[in-house]
């Protein structure tokens, strides 16, 4: 057993089991890691994902005793970042930031096979999703919105990130569960453009990260009709979940996490899981994640994250058939 100084023994005693195993690494028989690590980010710099990835990179640098860089590979419907990962050795030194968009592109565009090309490590963050209307909208509740949609097929409009996007698929599932139809309007600029469209009255409904609700609801510029969480969101305790609003569909949140190229040795996958779990407990990570409008939500195991991805692929595949994709 390696010698652990007294000050470190005291730290480990107070830490959780996962954090204790990863906070002060012991080099494994594989020699991992033996050089710089990369986190490939499938989006450009400056966004929330950048903040999240960098917060983990800074902690992993210390725990792994190797430099960890964030490399931007946006574009190509996530293909550019996937190709960058596939061109790297399956040895654990190159990680990929994963999020809900990966299962959607797997299902709709079939540009890659997420379940065969990726070894998931861990989900690390989640962001509540809110359904927003303008503050002076005639739809005061989700039931008002649904009833209008039932009486006026196709007249309701809502913003999405494009055909076959996560938002498009989930809203189509919502329509089917609630028995109404609306019109999806794509916005290449994503959340900010959709918020602008809601505020201007260009569309009726925005399907957006909770960050936007926190930004605009307190001033009355938007109204939150429902959240897609399993339980009510503590920041908006008076807002019902979709289930409470009478819509029988599975809960959903935006998530993000880390994966590796398929074929990475299981011992290295588990080592990285422990390191990432330990980083998730660090206050600096939690503070930066919160500043980005999310919360640290660690999957309890590698297999749990794999199951989460498989579940998303399943419901997205079922919905895609309804949309004739």
């Amino acid at each position: 057993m390696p010698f652990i100084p007294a000050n470190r023994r005291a730290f480990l005693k107070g830490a959780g089991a996962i954090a204790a195993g990863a906070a002060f690494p012991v080099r494994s028989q594989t020699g991992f890691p033996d050089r710089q690590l990369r986190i490939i980010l499938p989006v450009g710099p400056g966004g929330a994902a950048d903040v999240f990835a960098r917060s983990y990179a800074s902690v992993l640098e210390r725990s792994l005793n190797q430099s960890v860089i964030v490399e931007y590979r946006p574009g190509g419907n996530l293909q550019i970042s996937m190709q960058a990962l596939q061109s790297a050795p399956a040895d654990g030194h190159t990680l990929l930031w994963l999020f809900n968009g990966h299962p959607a592109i797997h299902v709709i565009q079939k540009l890659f096979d997420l379940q065969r090309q990726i070894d998931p490590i861990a989900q690390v963050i989640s962001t509540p999703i809110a359904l927003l209307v303008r503050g002076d909208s005639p739809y005061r509740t989700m039931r008002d919105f649904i009833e209008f949609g039932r009486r006026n097929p196709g007249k309701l409009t809502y913003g999405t990130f494009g055909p076959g996007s996560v938002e498009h698929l989930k809203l189509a599932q919502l329509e089917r569960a609630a028995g109404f139809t609306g019109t999806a309007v794509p916005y290449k600029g994503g959340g900010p453009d959709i918020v602008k469209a809601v505020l201007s009255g260009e569309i009726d409904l925005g399907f957006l990260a909770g960050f936007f609700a926190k930004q605009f609801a307190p001033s009355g510029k938007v109204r939150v009709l429902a959240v897609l969480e399993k339980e009510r969101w503590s920041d908006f305790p008076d807002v019902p979940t979709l289930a409470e609003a009478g819509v029988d569909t599975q809960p959903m949140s935006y998530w993000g996490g880390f994966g590796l190229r398929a074929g990475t040795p299981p011992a290295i996958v588990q080592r990285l899981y422990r390191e990432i779990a330990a980083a998730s407990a660090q206050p600096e990570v939690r503070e930066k994640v919160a500043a980005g409008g999310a919360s640290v939500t660690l999957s309890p195991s590698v297999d749990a994250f794999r199951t989460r991805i498989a579940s998303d692929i399943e419901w997205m595949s079922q919905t895609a058939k309804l949309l004739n994709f």
Side-chain angles (χ1 to χ4, degrees):
M1 179 176 178
F3 172 71
I4 301 176
N7 61 338
R8 290 191 176 183
R9 289 201 301 271
F11 177 87
L12 294 177
K13 184 177 180 180
I18 292 176
F24 300 99
V26 176
R27 193 170 292 268
S28 68
Q29 293 180 352
T30 63
F32 174 83
D34 60 10
R35 63 184 184 278
Q36 174 181 273
L37 283 81
R38 292 187 297 158
I39 297 175
I40 297 174
L41 202 62
V43 295
D50 191 16
V51 173
F52 304 149
R54 287 189 175 279
S55 68
Y56 276 89
S58 63
V59 175
L60 292 175
E61 277 192 340
R62 300 196 299 270
S63 69
L64 292 169
N65 197 29
Q66 293 285 349
S67 62
V68 181
I69 63 169
V70 175
E71 186 175 296
Y72 306 107
R73 293 296 183 93
N77 287 314
L78 305 182
Q79 251 191 315
I80 293 173
S81 58
M82 284 290 291
Q83 289 170 352
L85 180 69
Q86 297 305 311
S87 66
D91 60 5
H93 290 84
T94 303
L95 291 74
L96 176 67
W97 179 260
L98 299 171
F99 65 102
N100 303 66
H102 284 89
I105 289 178
H106 165 103
V107 168
I108 300 299
Q109 301 189 30
K110 301 177 175 63
L111 297 176
F112 48 76
D113 190 327
L114 193 60
Q115 292 173 298
R116 292 189 177 186
Q117 291 179 269
I118 296 292
D119 279 340
I121 306 173
Q123 174 187 338
V124 294
I125 66 99
S126 65
T127 303
I129 296 171
L131 299 180
L132 309 179
V133 296
R134 200 163 76 165
D136 60 358
S137 168
Y139 313 115
R140 303 198 62 82
T141 67
M142 195 66 203
R143 293 180 188 277
D144 293 341
F145 186 85
I146 290 170
E147 287 173 4
F148 180 89
R150 287 172 177 169
R151 295 193 305 268
N152 303 275
K155 288 191 176 181
L156 287 173
T157 55
Y158 46 76
T160 75
F161 289 26
S165 63
V166 175
E167 297 76 19
H168 186 200
L169 292 171
K170 191 63 181 179
L171 284 163
Q173 186 189 57
L174 188 157
E175 285 180 344
R176 184 173 179 84
F180 75 96
T181 57
T183 299
V185 181
Y187 289 89
K188 290 184 178 180
D193 283 356
I194 292 174
V195 168
K196 290 178 184 176
V198 170
L199 294 176
S200 68
E202 185 176 308
I203 57 174
D204 296 305
L205 181 78
F207 180 105
L208 292 157
F211 169 80
F212 294 104
K214 292 174 71 172
Q215 186 175 3
F216 293 104
S219 63
K221 291 181 180 179
V222 300
R223 181 183 302 135
V224 186
L225 296 186
V227 294
L228 275 67
E229 298 290 291
K230 183 177 181 180
E231 298 176 352
R232 292 197 179 197
W233 185 15
S234 59
D235 287 316
F236 290 88
D238 296 331
V239 174
T241 65
L242 271 182
E244 290 174 332
V247 183
D248 183 18
T249 184
Q250 67 194 84
M252 177 181 164
S253 61
Y254 287 125
W255 55 256
F258 296 100
L260 297 161
R261 179 179 169 181
T264 301
I268 291 177
V269 177
Q270 292 296 333
R271 168 73 185 282
L272 284 169
Y273 176 83
R274 294 193 299 273
E275 298 285 354
I276 289 168
S280 297
Q282 298 301 310
E284 65 186 272
V285 170
R286 291 180 170 270
E287 288 169 6
K288 289 178 181 177
V289 168
S295 60
V296 172
T297 310
L298 179 71
S299 51
S301 67
V302 170
D303 285 342
F305 189 28
R306 189 185 303 276
T307 299
R308 174 67 181 267
I309 292 170
S311 176
D312 276 2
I313 288 174
E314 181 178 3
W315 78 256
M316 289 178 183
S317 297
Q318 293 172 354
T319 306
K321 292 177 182 177
L322 301 176
L323 296 171
N324 297 317
F325 277 111

